[in-house]
Amino acid sequence: MRRFWAMMIFLALPLNGFGSWMVWAEEKEEKLEEMVVTATRTEKELEIAPASVTVIKKEEIEKRGVKTLDSALNTTPGVFNRRGKGLMDVLSNVTLRGIPGEARTMVMMDGVPLNDAYVGNVVYGGLMPEDIERIEVVRGPFSSLYGGYAMGGVVHLISKMPEKREFTFKAGYGSHLKGDEAMDDYWKGYLSYGDRFKGFSFFVSYGYQATDGYPTDYNVQSSRPPAGITGWIPTTDTQGAIRYLIGHRGDNTWWDDSLRVRAGYDFSKVTKLRLSFLRQRYEYDYDDPVTYLRNAAGAEVWSYGTVRERTFIGGGGGRVLNHYNVGFETEVSPLKIKFSLGLQDVEKNWYVTPGTTAATTRFGGPGTRNETLSQNYHGDLQVTVPLFKRNLLTFGGSFRYGWANTEEHDLINWKDEDSKTRLVYQSKGKDRTYAFFLQDEIMILENLTAYLGVRFDRWETFDGYVNQAGTAGYPKRYGARDARSWSPKAALVYKPFERTTLRVSGGKAFRSPTTYDLYRTWVSAAGTTFAANPDLKPETTLSWDVGIDQGLWKGARVRAAYFENYLKDLIYRKTVTPTYREFHNAGKAEVKGVELEGEQRFDFGLKLFANFTYNDTEMKRNEANPASEGKKLTNVPERMFNVGADFEKGPFYASLIGRYVSKRFTDDQNRDRVNRVYGSHDPFFVVDARLSYKVLKFATLSLSIDNLFDKDYFWSYKAPGRSWFGEVLVKF
């Protein structure tokens, strides 16, 4: 608490005089107040929202030429987007404020959570940026309003609905600019139509993108090819041990698409109904593998010693995901009522793993097919009512029910996903959560507002089942378990001057274990068992932050925030034996950090911006692996900064954006310190450029160059090099 008050005094005292000088020095700007809803569940001016909030509008998404929806967050302070190999990265995820894992970040679309029922992650393949009106990124613990997953904060995707007839068509093509080190033959198309008449509105869109990819997955071995075999390249692993690069799995291909339908009817100004359907699909695969090895006769070599041809092979996969949402709001004075109901249905979710024996070759042979189906049902009721002129009370309840079922079958031929035979593994389970929340917004003074909130969640898991066919002791069935969590939060927002806002908040957040954490056990190609744990309990964080938003002279604004997160009962892998690792509630960790940002807008169309994020993470206690204590948390970069400029004048637009992300570790003892090798997570600074010109009132041509200076780095996979993309946009 001493640090908290010291920070408040440090921020507030200088502003007593500084703020007055600002009022004298600047010319007052006329502006429309920007509203956000995620920070309080009600409309609130961005300037006085009780949290650090960033809003990304559709105009910015369009001008930047964002190709994947998660990439729209790349230049946001406090946000880390893990996308290691361009479009093809099925493991991409977004985390906030140094709290690792997207299962600890709530991602919503139109008020309905997108975190799935299996691992708690979000599927971005097939989510089209063009369908989104705005993105609200709210940093800090928000379980008091949204329950589990909202430990680091909330990312809210808000869809567009037309106010008049509109038509949009986009088509683009791009490829690499050097060798085969970035996406080859990248195609993108998008078409949408919307209209509104009387009280009825509707919107329909279809988007598609595909690429022939590039080599991302390398074949690196610990055993040296014998004498007489050439072509291999000496390298190391991430800890410096000698390794040998002998080839790659081939170009990593990808396609995804989405179909979206939204409809709404306004019965009156205050009574509205919204219906939506979204179908996402994606598939990935690998072209023919490549070996660098040659024998004395110059012929290709695909195996030697204990290395088999199967090590060159990568299997494909895909997913089909359907979202159904209903939203209704009305006003019965003085009550405002909102209700939403959503279903997330994973219709298909599979991947193929080639077999581990010499019988598996690049032409076929045994393999396995893994498929996980799941569903998430979510309901939410919210009521807002003013009390005593200075209070605004928001309360309600929510319900969530989810299930997931994983099955693994043998394949006769790994190249034919339908050649499955016997069931060799199955795990499944269900969970449900009931919750009640309450928040009171209290206007203490005209320029001082307090927020007090609390949420109660009762989580239950049941019908757990695991079967490893042919193994003694299986199948296993697990009884029901439950846990309860109270998530309080308090915040103060103070505006001592017109252009100065001070914020301080603190709260508790939690995340219940997922079906994957509880029941999914799997064995790696190296023979290590990664076991689930049906006895896991929820993990929690106690967090607080303090921030300032300061307007300077005309067109200039700076923001700063300091935060601390104290994580407890982290779900963590414990090494029981060298070949057996199991999830445990074994960790206590701390994350302390700073977010700084500033921008300057000029009347002649130029905008400059920069932001910086610092995450100081430390594992404080870890019974699962005491050697990790005192080390940095995995998958959290210590430093990130973004800097850029964009210029818009008449029909012309240009932007130049640089992005830096520091080294991150995947080993909990931080031993993976070697950079620029396969599997490493290197620091990098990349610059992207974009030019566009409106050739007609309704038509725009654009050209983008990604990784302008061709930075060579790894993010586990080989990251994409320099590439170009041209696009035409027709909109009226």
Side-chain angles (χ1 to χ4, degrees):
M1 288 300 293
R2 283 194 300 244
R3 279 177 293 185
F4 162 72
W5 289 114
M7 180 67 69
M8 286 296 291
I9 293 170
F10 173 76
L11 290 173
L13 284 180
L15 290 172
N16 191 33
F18 185 67
S20 300
W21 179 83
M22 284 300 162
V23 173
W24 170 80
E26 68 178 316
E27 181 180 339
K28 184 176 179 181
E29 296 177 64
E30 292 186 7
K31 61 180 179 179
L32 295 174
E33 294 293 347
E34 186 168 5
M35 309 299 287
V36 296
V37 297
T38 313
T40 60
R41 279 182 169 253
T42 59
E43 283 196 345
K44 184 64 55 182
E45 295 173 11
L46 176 61
E47 274 192 359
I48 58 174
S52 295
V53 183
T54 299
V55 177
I56 305 167
K57 300 178 182 178
K58 65 177 180 181
E59 293 84 4
E60 181 180 353
I61 295 173
E62 184 176 288
K63 288 176 182 177
R64 284 173 48 196
V66 171
K67 299 178 180 66
T68 63
L69 192 53
D70 55 309
S71 298
L73 307 173
N74 278 349
T75 58
T76 305
V79 175
F80 173 55
N81 174 29
R82 193 186 87 176
R83 179 174 284 274
K85 53 177 178 177
L87 184 68
M88 302 87 68
D89 197 345
V90 70
L91 298 177
S92 61
N93 63 61
V94 172
T95 58
L96 304 179
R97 284 198 165 170
I99 299 182
E102 193 167 53
R104 300 181 180 104
T105 300
M106 171 72 78
V107 182
M108 302 189 302
M109 179 177 288
D110 303 321
V112 177
L114 295 181
N115 303 77
D116 68 29
Y118 181 47
V119 295
N121 283 357
V122 176
V123 176
Y124 291 99
L127 284 180
M128 295 295 160
E130 293 82 1
D131 288 339
I132 301 302
E133 179 72 24
R134 58 195 277 122
I135 304 173
E136 296 181 2
V137 182
V138 184
R139 297 176 287 278
F142 270 88
S143 287
S144 63
L145 289 178
Y146 299 106
Y149 301 125
M151 296 177 71
V154 179
V155 176
H156 194 179
L157 314 174
I158 300 173
S159 303
K160 64 187 299 183
M161 283 295 285
E163 294 297 326
K164 58 182 180 179
R165 181 172 300 173
E166 62 176 48
F167 171 84
T168 301
F169 169 76
K170 294 177 77 172
Y173 173 82
S175 194
H176 51 73
L177 278 167
K178 188 186 83 172
D180 193 16
E181 297 182 357
M183 291 190 298
D184 187 24
D185 286 336
Y186 170 50
W187 295 89
K188 182 174 182 178
Y190 176 83
L191 181 67
S192 72
Y193 177 74
D195 204 350
R196 181 180 178 89
F197 47 92
K198 295 185 178 179
F200 178 72
S201 58
F202 73 93
F203 175 83
V204 59
S205 70
Y206 176 77
Y208 175 85
Q209 53 187 352
T211 177
D212 290 341
Y214 68 100
T216 61
D217 292 32
Y218 288 89
N219 191 348
V220 178
Q221 296 294 325
S222 59
S223 60
R224 176 174 174 166
I229 295 180
T230 60
W232 50 270
I233 301 171
T235 183
T236 72
D237 66 11
T238 59
Q239 298 182 31
I242 298 298
R243 294 291 183 264
Y244 305 92
L245 175 60
I246 63 174
H248 60 75
R249 293 180 174 178
D251 289 348
N252 187 179
T253 63
W254 175 282
W255 69 264
D256 65 44
D257 72 351
S258 73
L259 172 66
R260 182 141 200 198
V261 180
R262 301 196 78 217
Y265 187 75
D266 296 350
F267 297 93
S268 67
K269 290 183 178 180
V270 297
T271 303
K272 303 174 182 179
L273 175 68
R274 298 289 182 264
L275 306 172
S276 69
F277 168 75
L278 168 65
R279 184 175 178 85
Q280 296 171 251
R281 301 188 302 173
Y282 72 76
E283 286 191 14
Y284 64 90
D285 208 339
Y286 294 86
D287 281 344
D288 294 337
V290 172
T291 177
Y292 301 155
L293 304 180
R294 299 292 186 272
N295 61 20
E300 294 179 343
V301 176
W302 292 93
S303 63
Y304 63 88
T306 59
V307 176
R308 296 289 180 260
E309 187 171 330
R310 62 176 176 78
T311 62
F312 290 88
I313 303 167
R319 186 177 302 207
V320 179
L321 177 59
N322 301 307
H323 304 265
Y324 307 85
N325 294 340
V326 178
F328 177 78
E329 60 181 84
T330 190
E331 185 174 333
V332 182
S333 185
L335 303 179
K336 291 185 178 181
I337 302 169
K338 291 184 179 181
F339 173 75
S340 65
L341 184 65
L343 166 62
Q344 182 186 82
D345 175 31
V346 179
E347 178 183 321
K348 187 176 181 181
N349 177 25
W350 58 274
Y351 64 86
V352 168
T353 304
T356 59
T357 68
T360 298
T361 71
R362 63 190 188 279
F363 303 111
T368 57
R369 183 182 189 273
N370 182 291
E371 181 163 22
T372 300
L373 304 182
S374 65
Q375 286 185 332
N376 245 342
Y377 298 84
H378 183 269
D380 188 273
L381 175 65
Q382 171 186 322
V383 180
T384 303
V385 57
L387 295 175
F388 314 119
K389 295 185 179 180
R390 288 183 173 268
N391 291 63
L392 185 65
L393 191 67
T394 301
F395 63 92
S398 69
F399 169 75
R400 178 185 175 276
Y401 166 76
W403 63 264
N405 178 35
T406 298
E407 294 185 358
E408 189 174 297
H409 289 80
D410 280 339
L411 293 177
I412 297 173
N413 181 1
W414 70 268
K415 300 194 75 171
D416 180 6
E417 63 163 299
D418 295 321
S419 65
K420 64 182 184 180
T421 56
R422 69 184 184 101
L423 176 70
V424 296
Y425 175 85
Q426 183 180 17
S427 66
K428 59 182 179 179
K430 303 174 182 177
D431 69 356
R432 58 182 167 228
T433 302
Y434 303 91
F436 173 80
F437 60 88
L438 174 69
Q439 177 180 267
D440 190 13
E441 177 184 338
I442 309 165
M443 183 183 292
I444 301 173
L445 301 171
E446 291 298 321
N447 61 351
L448 178 63
T449 305
Y451 297 82
L452 300 174
V454 67
R455 176 172 170 133
F456 172 76
D457 286 81
R458 181 182 180 275
W459 165 79
E460 181 183 18
T461 180
F462 56 101
D463 288 352
Y465 174 88
V466 178
N467 183 22
Q468 297 187 37
T471 302
Y474 287 90
K476 294 181 179 180
R477 291 177 171 83
Y478 302 96
R481 285 195 309 111
D482 66 2
R484 294 165 173 79
S485 179
W486 289 94
S487 302
K489 186 170 184 182
L492 279 174
V493 180
Y494 178 47
K495 279 187 66 69
F497 312 105
E498 181 182 356
R499 291 183 170 274
T500 303
T501 303
L502 297 172
R503 301 179 182 87
V504 61
S505 68
K508 179 185 176 184
F510 82 101
R511 179 184 78 93
S512 54
T514 64
T515 303
Y516 178 87
D517 302 330
L518 294 165
Y519 306 118
R520 175 67 166 117
T521 296
W522 57 280
V523 180
S524 71
T528 300
T529 298
F530 293 85
N533 184 349
D535 296 321
L536 292 172
K537 58 183 179 181
E539 52 188 14
T540 62
T541 181
L542 286 172
S543 306
W544 73 272
D545 63 9
V546 59
I548 180 173
D549 186 334
Q550 178 65 59
L552 303 176
W553 49 86
K554 185 178 182 181
R557 181 168 293 276
V558 294
R559 302 176 181 89
Y562 173 81
F563 59 88
E564 293 186 354
N565 303 312
Y566 296 89
L567 300 135
K568 183 180 178 182
D569 292 324
L570 278 178
I571 296 173
Y572 215 82
R573 290 281 190 189
K574 179 178 181 179
T575 301
V576 180
T577 71
T579 60
Y580 189 87
R581 302 178 65 190
E582 185 178 52
F583 277 130
H584 278 256
N585 287 107
K588 274 191 175 183
E590 293 181 4
V591 181
K592 301 176 183 179
V594 176
E595 297 161 355
L596 305 172
E597 57 179 321
E599 70 175 31
Q600 172 70 66
R601 296 175 182 266
F602 297 94
D603 290 339
F604 57 86
L606 177 65
K607 171 188 165 185
L608 306 175
F609 76 90
N611 58 64
F612 172 77
T613 302
Y614 176 74
N615 294 309
D616 181 15
T617 69
E618 183 180 355
M619 178 62 73
K620 304 297 290 187
R621 190 184 74 195
N622 185 5
E623 297 170 0
N625 184 6
S628 69
E629 295 176 3
K631 301 297 192 297
K632 301 290 185 183
L633 295 184
T634 58
N635 290 310
V636 179
E638 184 178 67
R639 298 176 307 280
M640 299 181 288
F641 74 79
N642 304 285
V643 59
D646 60 56
F647 177 76
E648 186 172 16
K649 194 70 173 179
F652 177 78
Y653 172 83
S655 69
L656 193 68
I657 297 174
R659 179 179 178 229
Y660 172 80
V661 177
S662 68
K663 174 77 175 177
R664 61 188 174 98
F665 301 104
T666 56
D667 176 73
D668 59 4
Q669 296 180 49
N670 301 169
R671 295 170 296 187
D672 50 335
R673 295 182 174 273
V674 178
N675 293 329
R676 298 188 67 182
V677 297
Y678 184 60
S680 65
H681 294 81
D682 304 343
F684 69 88
F685 179 73
V686 296
V687 177
D688 300 328
R690 181 174 171 85
L691 296 172
S692 67
Y693 188 80
K694 187 174 288 189
V695 294
L696 297 170
K697 184 178 180 180
F698 55 84
T700 302
L701 298 176
S702 63
L703 175 66
S704 301
I705 305 292
D706 292 337
N707 196 355
L708 180 64
F709 300 114
D710 200 28
K711 175 67 176 178
D712 185 21
Y713 65 101
F714 283 85
W715 256 20
S716 185
Y717 306 105
K718 181 71 171 65
R722 183 165 50 220
S723 63
W724 67 275
F725 181 73
E727 188 173 53
V728 58
L729 166 66
V730 177
K731 188 175 183 179
F732 54 84

